[in-house]
């Protein structure tokens, strides 16, 4: 029989593909309802779908709904708030520096997750996994780096660098928070606990962002209702992607999931070359090779 613990691999790959699709949908919505309005779509419109996922999971398994254990509330709040803050910091950095610079800085997330996972959850990674994370992170930096990137950083100073690294740190904390919340549910299969934690997270995030928009930007909230067809589609894809992220977090250390997710960089590079006919430099080839080695190392260490 298949080892269920290895399902984090296809779950992460599906989540990564779903995230790319969701980001594309949100980017289009941003032009119509603004950044914050498009951001809250993934939560407001994703919540109903997560409830459907949970109901289906309960019906299919016949299991009882897991109850929060000690520490659950702290972890789910940490995950929900960190994810919102991470998005804000990343967008703030992108307003000051180029996409490639911010991408390289945010992707230090994988290294930071390994540290936070050890501190908060006691997730001890073998030496092979640590080396794989460092290799893959170096590969991302090589792929996104260029003489233009270096000049961009020199011209922009330390503020956008700090914002990008802080965004990576917040994304790392959110992943650790979500994994911690899943582990602190008192019962259920990993799949049911993942879905339950997802619902709790989306309830919190929807409430926080809805309150913010009602007070500070009602036009964006009303805009998401006006663009409901696109919003529903983005909400469904976002909820589906999150469902698989949470399944990955339920089955293995968050650092493993986020390191494997660096394959998104390879996907983006392939799309750029195929659609935009952009050539790949030797530096980028070396970076992609390091990412591949890092991913293979993570897969080997997690067996």
């Amino acid at each position: 029989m298949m080892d269920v613990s290895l399902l984090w691999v296809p779950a992460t790959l599906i989540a990564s593909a779903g995230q790319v699709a969701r980001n594309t949908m949100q980017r289009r919505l941003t032009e119509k309802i603004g950044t914050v309005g498009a951001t809250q779509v993934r939560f407001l419109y994703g919540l109903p779908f997560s409830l459907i996922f949970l109901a289906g999971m309960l019906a299919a398994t016949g299991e009882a709904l897991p109850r929060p254990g000690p520490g659950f509330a702290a972890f789910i709040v940490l995950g929900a708030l960190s994810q919102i803050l991470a998005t804000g910091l990343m967008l703030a950095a992108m307003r000051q520096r180029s996409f490639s610079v911010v991408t390289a800085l945010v992707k230090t997330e994988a290294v930071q997750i390994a540290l936070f996972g050890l501190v908060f959850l006691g997730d001890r990674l073998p030496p092979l996994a640590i080396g794989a994370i460092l290799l893959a992170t170096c590969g991302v930096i090589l792929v996104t780096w260029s003489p233009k990137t270096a000049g961009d950083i020199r011209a922009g100073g330390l503020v956008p660098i700090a914002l990008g690294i802080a965004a990576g740190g917040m994304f790392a904390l959110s992943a650790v928070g979500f994994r911690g919340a899943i582990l602190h549910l008192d019962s259920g299969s990993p799949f049911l606990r993942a879905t339950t934690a997802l619902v709790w997270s989306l309830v919190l995030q929807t409430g926080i962002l809805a309150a913010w928009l009602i007070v500070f930007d009602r036009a964006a909230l009303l805009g998401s209702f006006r663009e409901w067809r696109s919003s529903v589609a983005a909400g469904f894809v976002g909820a589906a992607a999150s469902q698989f992220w949470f399944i990955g977090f339920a089955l293995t250390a968050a650092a493993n999931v986020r390191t494997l997710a660096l394959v998104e960089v390879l996907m983006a590079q392939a799309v750029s070359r195929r659609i935009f006919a952009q050539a790949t430099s030797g530096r980028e080839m070396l970076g992609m090779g390091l990412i591949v080695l890092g991913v293979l190392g993570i897969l080997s260490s997690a067996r």
Side-chain angles (χ1 to χ4, degrees), residues 22 26 243:
R22 185 204 67 212
Q26 283 185 297
Q243 174 72 53

Side-chain angles (χ1 to χ4, degrees), residues 129-154:
I130 295 173
I133 291 170
L134 293 174
L135 266 182
T137 302
C138 290
V140 170
I141 292 173
L142 280 175
V143 169
T144 55
W145 220 250
S146 68
K148 181 180 182 300
T149 299
D152 205 9
I153 281 187
R154 286 195 297 271

